[in-house]
Amino acid sequence: MTVFLVGAGPGDADLLTVRGARLLAAADVVVHDRLVERSVLELARRDAEFIDVGKEPGRFTSQSMINDLLVSLGRDYDTVVRLKGGDPFVFGRGGEEMIALREGGVASEVVPGVTSAFAGPLAAGIPVTHRGLSRGVMVVTGHIEGHDDGYFRRLANPDLSLVVLMGVGARASIAAELIDGGLTHDTPVAVIESAWTARQSVTRAVLRDLGSLNVASPAIIVIGACAALSVCDLMAETSALV
Ligand code: SAH
């Protein structure tokens, strides 16, 4: 009857909204991504049906298949929760799913989540805006479809923090383009892997060395003066000034 698009937050189940937790506890079916932590899924009923539509190599579920699945589940069940990591409308293709549900005549609602774009840096003690250091923040994807050489060149701005999601694979070219665009080699960077999970790790470096850091997805890359800050205690941190 209703499909609820719920933001699962960045990791730790305690960072889910109260509304999200209530809906999970009521759900007949939970459709989730690979990034959603087990602790969040455990908030659902034991007898709920769980469908993993996580996108990983070799087990590819296309977006149109997910859209069709949500429409048919929405017709068959009372309460369907579509759980998406972080916030559903930040690089989660949540907007596309909402449009598909509307076109399929299925009632839907969206519940915001704590996005990793902000909670990731925060987990490393990095405020993405800070008086005197950063006047704002740009949140962008590093996953570039096709060739868009020079995109990051145009984003070089020393007055702003740059937060890159899905940027691990392209980190070398992102750094090169930003330096080409005018950021200095020694601009601070921080990479936060698996924020708000037991696997969290934080690596600090400078822009010149971003390409050679040993880091893996999922990770948030923060670039700019704020990335050097650490204003609170950390869960785990390694210094990688190569
Ligand atoms: N809707 C999500 C983002 C989905 S795109 C949100 O609002 O957070 C997937 C990307 O998000 C990953 O490649 C990674 O860059 C980032 N990400 C999500 N969860 C993360 C986490 N716990 N730690 C670090 N990065 C994370």
Side-chain angles (χ1 to χ4, degrees), residues 103-129:
E103 286 175 357
V106 174
S108 58
E109 269 184 43
V110 65
V111 179
V114 173
T115 179
S116 64
F118 296 146
L122 186 152
I126 299 169
V128 286
T129 66

Side-chain angles (χ1 to χ4, degrees), residues 147-171:
H147 285 283
D148 186 7
D149 289 339
Y151 174 68
F152 276 89
R153 200 177 182 285
R154 300 193 292 278
L155 298 185
N157 183 338
D159 296 328
L160 303 177
S161 300
L162 182 59
V163 172
V164 188
L165 279 70
M166 296 174 278
V168 169
R171 63 192 183 283

Side-chain angles (χ1 to χ4, degrees), residues 35 39 109 125 182:
L35 277 179
S39 60
E109 269 184 43

